[in-house]
Structures are given as C-alpha cells and as structure tokens.
Amino acid sequence: MNLNTGFMHFPTAKELYDHIRSISKSEDSEFVVRNFVGVIEDVSVSASTVETTLFPLGALEYYTKKNMGWDYTQEEKETWQLAERGGEQGDYRAGITAKIENVISCLKNEPLSKRATITFPFSGEAAGGTGGSETSDWTKPGINKCCRELHLYLEDGKLKCTAIVRMQNANIFVKNIHFFATLLEHVACELKVPLGEYTHWITNLCYDRNATSC
C-alpha cells in the first residue's frame, strides 16, 4: 500500500513546478508554505527537463553533471555557475558516486530493502560539511542542504523514490528535479527496471532565495 495516492499528482515536473510557484508567490518575502507533498508520475530525464529563464538547458546540464560527480569543463562553470542558481546548500556531489553505488547494490541484493537511501545533510569537507549529525551547525550553509534524503524502493516492478526536502525555493526546483531524475534514471538502468512515480515532500517552500535562513 502506498498512501501517496492521497497527495496531489502531476503528470511531469513542469506541472508541479508551475503549481509550487503559484502557491508560494507573495509580496511578503518571508511567506512560507509548509509540508507540501506532490507526486510526479513521469520522472524520466526527458520529462523532467524544464527550461526557464534562470535555468536554460546548459545550466541544468551543468549543475546535474556537478552533482552527479561527472566531469564538466571550466568553460561550463564560468558560463553557468551563478549565486542566483543556488550555492553550497544545493551542492550534493560529496561522496555521491559511492552513495549511488550503495543503493544499486542494496536493491540488487535485497529488492525488498527499505535501506536504499541517499542522504545529504552532513557532507564531507568538499561540500562544506565536517561529518555526522553531531557536527550540525545552522550557521553553515554547506551543512544545511536543501534536500535531506532520497529514499529509493522497488514497488510494482518499478523504481520509485520519495525525497525529503528541508527547503525548496520554487524557482530552483527545476535544477533539483533534473538532477534527481538523472540519478534515478541511472539507478533504474543499472537495476534493469522502469521508473515509477516520484514523491516530493517539502517542509519549507518559498518562492525564491530571499527568505531568511533558507
């Protein structure tokens, strides 16, 4: 039984993006929508590539390469890296290759496992972190990642995922979902299973990066 049937469902990332922008837009820069949950039916990379003025295709592909731990050029960095597109809190690359390999191994060896998780809260020094939860420090953006965990699981013969997101800036969602979709498509390919739906749980939803202590 999957109770995400009770949440709002969206065909693709584009519809969810439009919705969270509409409900979070306000003249009050501190306006916050709390505990939003949405389900994306098609989370393939092609369906999750949502170009915007802030994130043209080149920017989406650059940030995804970076977060997947893939090679990118200095030219790409100089062209696409901007503070408005997110900083240390959206840098998920520390240890990402090993984290992805771990979930693949988990679900290959134990398809019923509930331990196929990718966690981001406390990263290594490469991403501004220092270790485990005992080193938590709210003043350091690099430790306080926006996405906290990805929970991957096999259900109905498909790879599905639930993301737990501490803070979602609506305008930056397209960058996040492009990365998550790429990661999930890679894992599904390794497991030789199709992709299922993706559940996006947001504790704090703001329109942009102007709110305090995002």
Side-chain angles (χ1 to χ4, degrees):
M1 177 186 296
N2 193 329
L3 296 180
N4 73 0
T5 56
F7 300 129
M8 294 184 66
H9 281 236
F10 302 86
T12 70
K14 175 64 166 63
E15 289 80 14
L16 191 150
Y17 168 68
D18 289 341
H19 181 73
I20 62 175
R21 288 184 81 231
S22 69
I23 64 173
S24 62
K25 189 172 180 60
S26 172
E27 294 182 1
D28 180 1
S29 64
E30 299 295 345
F31 180 71
V32 181
V33 177
R34 290 213 161 91
N35 294 311
F36 170 85
V37 185
V39 181
I40 299 175
E41 298 287 355
D42 181 356
V43 74
S44 63
V45 174
S46 59
S48 301
T49 301
V50 183
E51 295 187 68
T52 67
T53 302
L54 183 60
F55 286 101
L57 182 60
L60 293 173
E61 293 179 337
Y62 160 70
Y63 280 101
T64 289
K65 285 181 184 179
K66 182 178 177 180
N67 279 322
M68 286 292 292
W70 296 343
D71 292 336
Y72 57 86
T73 67
Q74 182 64 28
E75 182 181 3
E76 286 178 303
K77 180 178 180 180
E78 292 173 357
T79 301
W80 303 116
Q81 184 87 40
L82 289 176
E84 299 94 304
R85 293 179 175 141
E88 292 178 305
Q89 291 164 299
D91 187 340
Y92 301 114
R93 61 189 154 158
I96 191 62
T97 300
K99 292 176 183 181
I100 293 172
E101 290 175 351
N102 178 64
V103 297
I104 292 171
S105 174
C106 176
L107 293 174
K108 276 186 175 180
N109 288 283
E110 181 46 84
L112 298 178
S113 181
K114 292 79 176 170
R115 299 177 181 175
T117 62
I118 294 178
T119 58
F120 298 117
F122 309 102
S123 302
E125 293 181 1
T130 54
S133 59
E134 70 277 5
T135 65
S136 181
D137 184 342
W138 73 273
T139 67
K140 296 180 179 179
I143 294 178
N144 294 279
K145 302 299 182 186
C146 292
C147 180
R148 312 301 283 178
E149 297 186 354
L150 298 177
H151 300 166
L152 284 67
Y153 46 94
L154 294 173
E155 184 178 77
D156 303 326
K158 299 177 181 180
L159 177 68
K160 300 184 181 183
C161 178
T162 298
I164 307 299
V165 183
R166 173 190 64 80
M167 173 68 221
Q168 179 70 71
N169 289 302
N171 288 340
I172 294 180
F173 169 76
V174 296
K175 177 184 79 169
N176 303 143
I177 197 61
H178 190 270
F179 164 47
F180 298 155
T182 301
L183 187 157
L184 292 172
E185 202 166 85
H186 171 73
V187 174
C189 182
E190 291 294 314
L191 296 175
K192 297 180 172 57
V193 297
L195 272 176
E197 78 261 8
Y198 165 88
T199 303
H200 197 66
W201 188 297
I202 306 170
T203 303
N204 302 285
L205 169 63
C206 294
Y207 186 73
D208 54 29
R209 303 185 72 221
N210 291 323
T212 301
S213 292
C214 287

